[in-house]
Amino acid sequence: GRKVLIVYAHQEPKSLNGSLKRVAVEELSKQGCSVTVSDLYAMQFEPRATRNDIVGCLHNSEEFNYGVETWEAYKRGGLSSDLIEEQKKVQEADLLIFQFPLYWFSMPAIMKGWMDRVLVQGFAHEFPNCYDSGLLKNKLALFSFTTGGSREMYAKGGISGDIRYLLWPMQHGIMHFCGVKVLAPHICFAPEYVSEEKRKEMLTAWAQRLKTLWKEEPINCSPEWYFK
């Protein structure tokens, strides 16, 4: 069976994000997938990249460079236990689903902190092994999120600009950089401003999509896809 890691960032289990996460766990488990959830708020995941992420002596105790220190620590097995745990989940997963509400045109800080701390050099990328040759190639990722603004606001001519522009740093700058192939995002627009009926439809649409998810082709991860 395939393995799925859901990295989930929402404070309230009864929220639409909580329901989307639950639907994904149920649907993918039904398909025989093994599903793991990193519930970042429940775990009280530490989003700050600090000296505490390195166990033991520093590579250079004169001047702290987080990127260099975590790279060196990764090579000698000297990262903190919470990072080793998350990296193990990523390593085993065929598919990574990121479930979150859009905050200020981006992911919540706790999830960005997960990216900053978990996807270290040596584990996820190592120049020149990035983009198509990134170290996490052969994995898939999907960003599933809710917005405050309507679909019209995030259209090309809308006040917020094309939603694809916001996906560039997340999908391309992080996932594709690490070699991960990216499936089309799943976006629930403005759930707070629609009827209960509409929110139920959003959950049904997600469950339907998950039924055939493994047949989907990844997006063409090039600037044209985001900015055409």
Side-chain angles (χ1 to χ4, degrees), residues 129-142:
N129 295 320
C130 48
Y131 291 116
D132 291 342
S133 59
L135 302 181
L136 299 182
K137 56 183 183 290
N138 306 326
K139 295 187 188 300
L140 291 169
L142 192 162

Side-chain angles (χ1 to χ4, degrees), residues 2-200:
R2 295 183 173 101
K3 294 195 172 183
V4 181
L5 170 61
I6 301 175
V7 183
Y8 164 69
H10 200 288
Q11 309 88 335
E12 175 51 67
K14 294 198 284 282
S15 64
L16 186 72
N17 273 277
S19 300
L20 289 160
K21 183 257 298 173
R22 194 180 63 251
V23 165
V25 172
E26 286 168 5
E27 182 53 48
L28 292 164
S29 300
K30 252 188 247 168
Q31 295 174 21
C33 299
S34 149
V35 186
T36 304
V37 178
S38 283
D39 182 342
L40 301 182
Y41 285 105
M43 290 156 66
Q44 297 190 323
F45 186 81
E46 168 59 79
R48 294 169 300 178
T50 69
R51 161 73 178 90
N52 296 338
D53 293 348
I54 295 101
V55 176
C57 297
L58 291 176
H59 177 67
N60 176 0
S61 54
E62 299 299 305
E63 189 179 333
F64 185 72
N65 178 321
Y66 185 82
V68 170
E69 293 298 343
T70 49
W71 183 25
E72 292 295 336
Y74 175 74
K75 286 190 284 193
R76 64 177 164 79
L79 287 173
S80 60
S81 58
D82 59 336
L83 294 193
I84 290 170
E85 182 68 22
E86 293 307 298
Q87 287 176 345
K88 189 162 167 275
K89 294 177 194 173
V90 171
Q91 198 69 67
E92 289 176 354
D94 299 297
L95 167 67
L96 309 168
I97 295 177
F98 297 95
Q99 183 65 58
F100 59 98
L102 198 68
Y103 280 7
W104 294 117
F105 280 24
S106 187
M107 61 186 80
I110 199 165
M111 184 176 278
K112 177 58 166 57
W114 184 94
M115 304 281 186
D116 291 349
R117 296 181 63 225
V118 175
L119 303 176
V120 303
Q121 187 169 355
F123 170 68
H125 57 90
E126 191 157 2
F127 195 80
N129 295 320
C130 48
Y131 291 116
D132 291 342
S133 59
L135 302 181
L136 299 182
K137 56 183 183 290
N138 306 326
K139 295 187 188 300
L140 291 169
L142 192 162
F143 285 81
S144 169
F145 60 96
T146 58
T147 68
S150 64
R151 186 185 292 272
E152 293 70 37
M153 288 172 77
Y154 285 109
K156 199 154 198 170
I159 186 80
S160 300
D162 192 331
I163 192 79
R164 291 183 181 209
Y165 303 158
L166 313 190
L167 292 162
W168 170 256
M170 296 190 269
Q171 292 187 162
H172 184 75
I174 304 175
M175 285 295 115
H176 186 204
F177 185 82
C178 296
V180 181
K181 291 183 177 62
V182 181
L183 295 174
H186 197 85
I187 309 167
C188 292
F189 289 98
E192 285 176 71
Y193 303 104
V194 299
S195 64
E196 191 54 43
E197 198 51 49
K198 274 265 179 283
R199 281 196 290 276
K200 283 198 177 113

Side-chain angles (χ1 to χ4, degrees), residues 196-223:
E196 191 54 43
E197 198 51 49
K198 274 265 179 283
R199 281 196 290 276
K200 283 198 177 113
E201 283 171 23
M202 288 174 174
L203 294 176
T204 306
W206 179 223
Q208 282 305 116
R209 180 176 175 190
L210 289 164
K211 287 184 198 308
T212 55
L213 195 68
W214 301 103
K215 297 194 177 92
E216 289 186 19
E217 284 298 315
I219 64 167
N220 160 26
C221 231
S222 65

